[in-house]
Amino acid sequence: MNPAIDETTDTGYQRPRDPMEIWLARQWQDVLGFTVGIRENFFGVGGNSLDAARVINAVLLEFGVQLPLNVLTDHPTVERLATQLRDHAEQLSGPLVAIQDGTGPPLFLVHSDDGQIGPYCRLAYALGEEFTVYGFQAAGLYSDAEPARTVTAMADAYVDAVRAVRPTGPYLLGGAGIGAAIAYEMAVRLDDVRLVAALPDTDSWSQELPGNPDLSGILASWQERDLVPPDVAPEFVARTLRVWRANRDAVRDWRPSPYSGPLDVFDRPPITALPATVVQRTHECGTDGRLVDALRELIG
């Protein structure tokens, strides 16, 4: 739900919107050898029956669900196949989500205030398939877990997850909104950090929330804008609002730790005053793809 990132990387690609669609899109990338959008037909882009069997086997290994052999004939897009598996989505509720498998050092992108990482799928796609990208989603979005209450608590948890998949650097970190603050604190805790990027962020719905929000109305608005899948229940809105409020409180109370490395700021200044030792490098991006070009140059 981050139109700022979506606009700066608008290629016509229809990105995944939740962890299940992200997971399925990665399986298709692995099987087909290239990235596809959520509404592209599996067989229409070159998949065959053997490729379909590989996807079905991946589902069995990950979720313990045996799908019928003709499932991709009946549900030939990521969007439609995800509807058959979303009851198992809680297995994908952990903080670290693999978005794109590439060949270089991974870029770890931390969720914005709403806790979502879907917009980073479009950014990963625009960067190119050679870039490895992970996203951190907030606790409590896809389970009944309580949201984290402080920036430092999230940074501690996310650093542990980073080290589990990449014990040593170099580390490439970034995030929008509160994600920039969390990425900053993660950089404090990690060695050999090559990038900390504060990405542009616009919460398109956060200014629309009344005191007693109409969950069904908000969900209908999100679905109309294709921000969430069509089979999402209003309870997801309630969890998202709980995460959003917790994140807003967390960033309000955040006091940045000392850090001597640079911070690359895209378009907007940091969300709070940073120590004088931090070198802030500003990049003007607009909406013409310069964000992607600048990130490619910084990542190298």
Side-chain angles (χ1 to χ4, degrees):
M1 299 180 190
N2 190 335
I5 289 176
D6 281 348
E7 288 167 6
T8 55
T9 57
D10 188 9
T11 61
Y13 162 76
Q14 294 166 314
R15 65 168 177 82
R17 298 159 296 183
D18 72 350
M20 185 58 72
E21 290 183 346
I22 293 171
W23 185 86
L24 283 171
R26 279 187 58 244
Q27 307 315 306
W28 286 31
Q29 179 192 20
D30 181 58
V31 168
L32 298 171
F34 53 86
T35 304
V36 298
I38 62 171
R39 297 191 179 101
E40 293 184 75
N41 187 293
F42 183 81
F43 300 103
V45 296
N48 56 42
S49 58
L50 292 178
D51 296 330
R54 291 176 62 190
V55 172
I56 291 169
N57 187 61
V59 169
L60 177 62
L61 293 176
E62 182 71 20
F63 303 107
V65 176
Q66 180 64 68
L67 295 173
L69 292 177
N70 65 344
V71 67
L72 278 167
T73 302
D74 296 336
H75 305 279
T77 67
V78 166
E79 179 181 45
R80 289 177 58 181
L81 187 57
T83 64
Q84 305 302 299
L85 295 169
R86 200 159 274 119
D87 287 346
H88 305 277
E90 190 166 349
Q91 292 179 229
L92 303 175
S93 63
L96 187 61
V97 177
I99 293 176
Q100 181 169 281
D101 299 321
T103 56
L107 173 62
F108 295 94
L109 298 174
V110 186
H111 60 80
S112 185
D113 295 12
D114 60 13
Q116 303 288 327
I117 60 170
Y120 295 144
C121 295
R122 187 184 295 274
L123 180 57
Y125 176 78
L127 283 170
E129 293 177 358
E130 68 271 26
F131 290 89
T132 302
V133 181
Y134 286 88
F136 280 100
Q137 63 187 4
L141 279 178
Y142 301 101
S143 70
D144 294 327
E146 282 294 316
R149 299 295 174 180
T150 68
V151 169
T152 54
M154 285 181 270
D156 289 339
Y158 298 171
V159 162
D160 288 343
V162 165
R163 287 179 172 145
V165 297
R166 188 171 178 83
T168 60
Y171 294 109
L172 309 171
L173 311 171
I178 192 176
I182 299 168
Y184 172 95
E185 289 292 340
M186 291 170 68
V188 172
R189 292 156 171 76
L190 290 167
D191 296 322
D192 195 11
V193 175
R194 302 287 179 86
L195 173 68
V196 187
L199 302 175
D201 180 41
T202 300
D203 287 329
S204 60
W205 53 268
S206 62
Q207 303 302 320
E208 305 167 6
L209 300 180
N212 296 303
D214 172 14
L215 300 185
S216 296
I218 293 173
L219 178 58
S221 173
W222 291 355
Q223 290 172 330
E224 182 179 357
R225 287 179 281 169
D226 204 21
L227 299 175
V228 296
D231 56 338
V232 168
E235 289 74 19
F236 175 73
V237 180
R239 291 197 298 269
T240 302
L241 300 188
R242 184 178 62 162
V243 166
W244 175 77
R245 292 185 179 105
N247 283 336
R248 284 297 175 92
D249 290 344
V251 80
R252 180 198 62 205
D253 298 334
W254 175 50
R255 299 297 178 266
S257 302
Y259 180 61
S260 57
L263 174 69
D264 287 280
V265 180
F266 293 86
D267 282 342
R268 295 187 177 192
I271 47 185
T272 192
L274 296 174
T277 56
V278 178
V279 177
Q280 298 183 44
R281 302 184 297 206
T282 303
H283 307 266
E284 297 296 331
C285 295
T287 59
D288 60 358
R290 282 182 289 173
L291 168 63
V292 173
D293 292 339
L295 278 176
R296 285 199 192 107
E297 183 176 349
L298 289 167
I299 293 171

